[in-house]
Amino acid sequence: MTFSMEKMMGFCSGLWQMIGINMCFLLCNIPALFFLIFVGADQVGNYLPFFLLCLLPLGVSLSALFYSMFRFRKEKDISVISTFFKAYRSNFKQSTAISFLEIGFLFVMTMNIRFFTTVFPMAFMRIFFQILMFFILLLTPYFYMLAMRYELKIRDIFKNALILAIGRPLLLLGNTATFFFVLVLYEIMPGTAILFIGSIYGYLIIYMNQKVFSSMEE
């Protein structure tokens, strides 16, 4: 009975920490959340520059999320707020710079796609820029995992993210599947998923990529 109670208490503690980390993550992305709630996802195309600006805090909050889930997976019991915001502060400048560069790239790619779709229709160029934009989006988890884990220059983060993506295509596929999994989870039960969506995504990404980063440190 005692053992079962300890297991139950451990589960509840872990559950609350997952919720806490997720709430910190959502709090740091209020601009994007407000846009989606009050403007709507269907209006992203009409207000693209403003929406991309709202996404700027996402980079540093992803770094803090990955760091918190890394610590949570390793230690099982962490101080949620101090752990999250310690990582947030320590990675703020670099992760924000990466986010700014990525958002700028996505904006340029979107403008090129629109140009080759409406102004000067050319299917080959449109598809090329769509693939390029999608590939950059696929690299996103690597950008912020590398930023939170290692002291690297931004160009080295981009280079290593590209190496990891090309060298481990199955992991890249797994990272992508994780993103779509949490989206489907939100569609199925939004009221419950909103409490865990960030934490589940961060935990699964850290879990799948742990061996890669362990091998890099050897």
Side-chain angles (χ1 to χ4, degrees):
M1 183 68 177
T2 304
F3 176 77
S4 298
M5 184 59 69
E6 288 177 354
K7 294 280 283 186
M8 181 62 68
M9 292 296 290
F11 174 79
C12 291
S13 175
L15 190 66
W16 280 112
Q17 289 180 76
M18 292 277 283
I19 293 175
I21 293 169
N22 185 69
M23 291 300 104
C24 290
F25 176 72
L26 295 179
L27 180 66
C28 292
N29 288 286
I30 282 180
L33 290 175
F34 275 16
F35 182 95
L36 294 174
I37 293 170
F38 296 111
V39 181
D42 59 327
Q43 295 297 316
V44 168
N46 295 328
Y47 301 97
L48 183 63
F50 179 61
F51 176 67
L52 291 176
L53 187 63
C54 291
L55 287 180
L56 190 59
L58 180 61
V60 63
S61 58
L62 273 175
S63 289
L65 173 69
F66 291 145
Y67 178 80
S68 300
M69 297 316 299
F70 172 77
R71 289 281 305 278
F72 174 75
R73 175 168 167 74
K74 185 177 181 181
E75 301 174 15
K76 305 301 182 185
D77 188 18
I78 62 173
S79 177
V80 170
I81 295 177
S82 64
T83 299
F84 186 93
F85 286 103
K86 177 184 177 182
Y88 192 94
R89 290 191 300 270
S90 63
N91 290 292
F92 183 82
K93 289 184 179 180
Q94 188 177 58
S95 294
T96 301
I98 294 171
S99 184
F100 183 82
L101 291 172
E102 186 178 8
I103 285 172
F105 181 87
L106 293 176
F107 178 74
V108 171
M109 292 300 101
T110 303
M111 292 300 100
N112 280 317
I113 291 168
R114 287 183 177 180
F115 178 81
F116 288 111
T117 301
T118 59
V119 180
F120 189 71
M122 187 179 293
F124 171 77
M125 294 302 295
R126 185 187 74 247
I127 294 170
F128 171 77
F129 284 115
Q130 286 173 336
I131 292 173
L132 193 58
M133 183 172 70
F134 185 64
F135 185 68
I136 290 297
L137 289 173
L138 294 183
L139 294 179
T140 298
Y142 291 118
F143 294 152
Y144 302 106
M145 277 191 291
L146 288 166
M148 72 88 182
R149 194 71 187 273
Y150 307 107
E151 294 183 2
L152 297 171
K153 294 180 179 179
I154 291 178
R155 67 170 181 268
D156 293 326
I157 288 175
F158 287 144
K159 181 182 71 174
N160 283 294
L162 183 61
I163 292 171
L164 287 171
I166 295 174
R168 303 288 183 114
L170 290 180
L171 273 180
L172 182 66
L173 181 62
N175 292 340
T176 307
T178 298
F179 176 73
F180 286 110
F181 168 73
V182 295
L183 287 183
V184 170
L185 193 64
Y186 180 77
E187 287 293 325
I188 294 174
M189 43 182 181
T192 302
I194 196 66
L195 297 174
F196 303 97
I197 192 166
S199 295
I200 291 174
Y201 175 73
Y203 187 90
L204 290 175
I205 291 293
I206 292 296
Y207 176 79
M208 286 190 298
N209 291 273
Q210 60 181 335
K211 291 184 178 179
V212 173
F213 288 98
S214 295
S215 64
M216 289 175 63
E217 294 167 3
E218 291 177 355

